[in-house]
Amino acid sequence: MNASKRIRVGMIGYKFMGKAHSNAYRQLPFFFDLPSALELKAIAGRNEEEVKTAAEKMGWLSYETDWQRLIQREDIDLVDIATPNHVHAEMAIAALKAGKHVICEKPMAMSVKEAVQMKAIAEQSGKVNMIMHNYRFAPAVQYAKKLIDSGRLGKIRHIRAVYLNESMLDPNRPFRWRLSKAIAGYGAHGDIGSHIIDLARFLVGEFREVTGMMETFVKERPDASSGRAGQAAGMIEVDVDDTTAFLARFENGAVGVFEASRFAGGNKNGNRFEINGEKGSIRWDLENMNHLHLYLTDDEEGMKGFRTINCTEPVHPYAGHYWPPGHILGYEHTFINLMYELINGIVNGTKPQPDFGDGLRNQAVLEAVSKSVELGRWIKISEILPS
Ligand code: SOE
């Protein structure tokens, strides 16, 4: 590790993703030989007491209550945006203009319009820019990509992907930012649907056209900030989708079926896909993330069937950096693996992906599905994102 070449990180946000990112930065040097030292310089949040506690707990050297001050600090090289979606564009653009590398949580932005601006400024800046689509970096998903890209499955015909959880199933669960169009942009569609859109683009290829449906089952929820001191608990309208399903055609002729729902009781973090090619199929389930299920048409007659590959061998990307085979990895390691590519990109001057170009194409698919719901017809990506 070249300690003279430090990368000094500033992060905005300290809740769920702030914790996941902080954990990844701290574990990264433990498992990977980094080309440069990492310094967790500062974390920013509006609530001084909470962000001070988070800095102490998660090992950040200082804290700020004004994100703009953090972005302007001379002792910050990389800005990590771990905030709700409505401020991604403003923060990423300010950080890029301040000469910082940027990693931003998904979905990239609130609209294609914002995402186009973010991508353009990132390209002008020459700085490394990434979107936190961490599930690409599960060893089993990386190995699936190797199998597909090598032609082992032949021409890809189908992908069917779901991302299901039960986080909003309880109608009495109070309103939160992920249920607000003004803050989140979309409901399940953007929050978890963005992940399966990204995985489909990573593994199958670019979308050509989509047609979808959306539903909001619970139209209003208790306002957690009211009902105190004897007030009647207020209710807040839910103006985003609780579930979205859509069909897709890809540029390469494959077809896709996608579903994102936060009302799928019994699913805790059910990010799953099956990809069918002419010569074989693969299945993957985040809740059992080390296993890749593979079916090959050229297996011996009588022996054809899905086999389970435990993707913890050194041949499986990133797995060899951790433990001996069979000592399984988890959710947090997908973030560590992505951060490894981020740091290498910054030190070596490469352009790791998924970058803002991926974020923009993912945003275009999100918006095309929403537009198809509005107009009741198939929408071509080219209608949303002229090439
Ligand atoms: C909430 O649904 C959430 O935290 C998403 O925002 C994350 O991107 C996903 O990885 C887990 O679930």
Side-chain angles (χ1 to χ4, degrees), residues 241-383:
D241 58 294
D242 286 328
T243 187
T244 292
F246 69 93
L247 303 175
R249 293 185 189 281
F250 290 81
E251 294 291 358
N252 60 15
V255 298
V257 181
F258 297 85
E259 184 186 0
S261 176
R262 300 186 292 204
F263 275 69
N267 292 276
K268 304 303 177 184
N269 202 14
N271 178 353
R272 302 191 282 273
F273 61 75
E274 175 169 315
I275 293 173
N276 307 128
E278 282 172 312
K279 299 196 294 188
S281 297
I282 50 174
R283 283 182 187 151
W284 180 76
D285 177 353
L286 172 62
E287 293 180 346
N288 190 3
M289 67 169 258
N290 294 283
H291 286 173
L292 184 68
H293 305 279
L294 172 66
Y295 173 84
L296 295 172
T297 56
D298 58 7
D299 274 348
E300 202 177 311
E301 284 309 316
M303 292 175 72
K304 291 180 197 286
F306 273 100
R307 74 192 70 175
T308 301
I309 304 168
N310 189 329
C311 296
T312 55
E313 305 280 353
V315 69
H316 302 119
Y318 303 107
H321 285 275
Y322 295 94
W323 313 114
H327 295 65
I328 54 175
L329 301 184
Y331 169 71
E332 63 192 293
H333 301 96
T334 65
F335 289 90
I336 301 170
N337 297 340
L338 186 152
M339 297 288 190
Y340 175 58
E341 300 305 340
L342 169 67
I343 300 306
N344 270 318
I346 291 172
V347 174
N348 302 324
T350 55
K351 296 178 188 289
Q353 287 177 275
D355 61 10
F356 280 18
D358 291 293
L360 171 56
R361 291 207 64 97
N362 293 344
Q363 199 79 34
V365 177
L366 288 173
E367 201 157 300
V369 171
S370 179
K371 181 65 78 180
S372 83
V373 171
E374 181 192 333
L375 301 181
R377 67 172 174 85
W378 283 83
I379 295 289
K380 289 183 171 45
I381 302 303
S382 57
E383 293 178 67

Side-chain angles (χ1 to χ4, degrees), residues 69-253:
R69 243 184 70 76
L70 178 138
I71 277 177
Q72 295 307 329
R73 279 176 54 163
E74 292 298 318
D75 62 345
I76 301 279
D77 308 302
L78 164 63
V79 171
D80 181 325
I81 301 169
T83 64
N85 310 336
H86 64 310
V87 288
H88 287 179
E90 180 186 10
M91 291 178 174
I93 289 167
L96 289 162
K97 286 183 173 174
K100 315 297 186 188
H101 303 287
V102 174
I103 181 163
C104 182
E105 261 297 332
K106 43 45 64 182
M108 179 170 178
M110 297 292 278
S111 65
V112 163
K113 183 165 181 264
E114 279 191 352
V116 165
Q117 212 189 357
M118 292 166 79
K119 176 176 180 277
I121 291 170
E123 286 174 343
Q124 289 158 17
S125 75
K127 293 295 176 184
V128 169
N129 53 93
M130 288 190 83
I131 300 290
M132 184 54 83
H133 280 293
N134 51 298
Y135 297 119
R136 288 190 182 202
F137 294 86
V141 174
Q142 292 278 322
Y143 190 64
K145 182 162 180 64
K146 282 181 177 291
L147 288 173
I148 292 169
D149 290 357
S150 71
R152 192 68 184 83
L153 303 188
K155 184 170 177 53
I156 301 301
R157 301 290 191 206
H158 285 282
I159 176 170
R160 57 192 67 78
V162 298
Y163 200 148
L164 309 174
N165 69 42
E166 56 183 16
S167 61
M168 302 298 177
L169 185 58
D170 177 358
N172 298 312
R173 180 165 193 188
F175 189 85
R176 54 210 323 250
W177 72 262
R178 281 188 168 88
L179 292 160
S180 160
K181 188 178 179 69
I183 300 175
Y186 300 101
H189 185 44
D191 183 33
I192 46 183
S194 59
H195 280 299
I196 50 180
I197 288 169
D198 184 70
L199 286 172
R201 292 190 46 253
F202 180 58
L203 295 167
V204 174
E206 295 302 340
F207 286 75
R208 189 177 76 221
E209 57 182 350
V210 294
T211 186
M213 56 160 284
M214 292 181 167
E215 187 57 60
T216 304
F217 299 120
V218 173
K219 312 285 187 193
E220 58 177 17
R221 287 180 180 266
D223 175 357
S225 61
S226 69
R228 295 194 180 122
Q231 285 171 358
M235 300 295 277
I236 301 178
E237 184 206 356
V238 174
D239 56 359
V240 294
D241 58 294
D242 286 328
T243 187
T244 292
F246 69 93
L247 303 175
R249 293 185 189 281
F250 290 81
E251 294 291 358
N252 60 15

Side-chain angles (χ1 to χ4, degrees), residues 50-70:
E50 287 184 9
V51 73
K52 183 172 184 292
T53 303
E56 288 160 3
K57 188 174 176 66
M58 299 196 286
W60 291 85
L61 296 172
S62 66
Y63 69 88
E64 300 285 354
T65 54
D66 172 0
W67 65 267
Q68 287 161 316
R69 243 184 70 76
L70 178 138

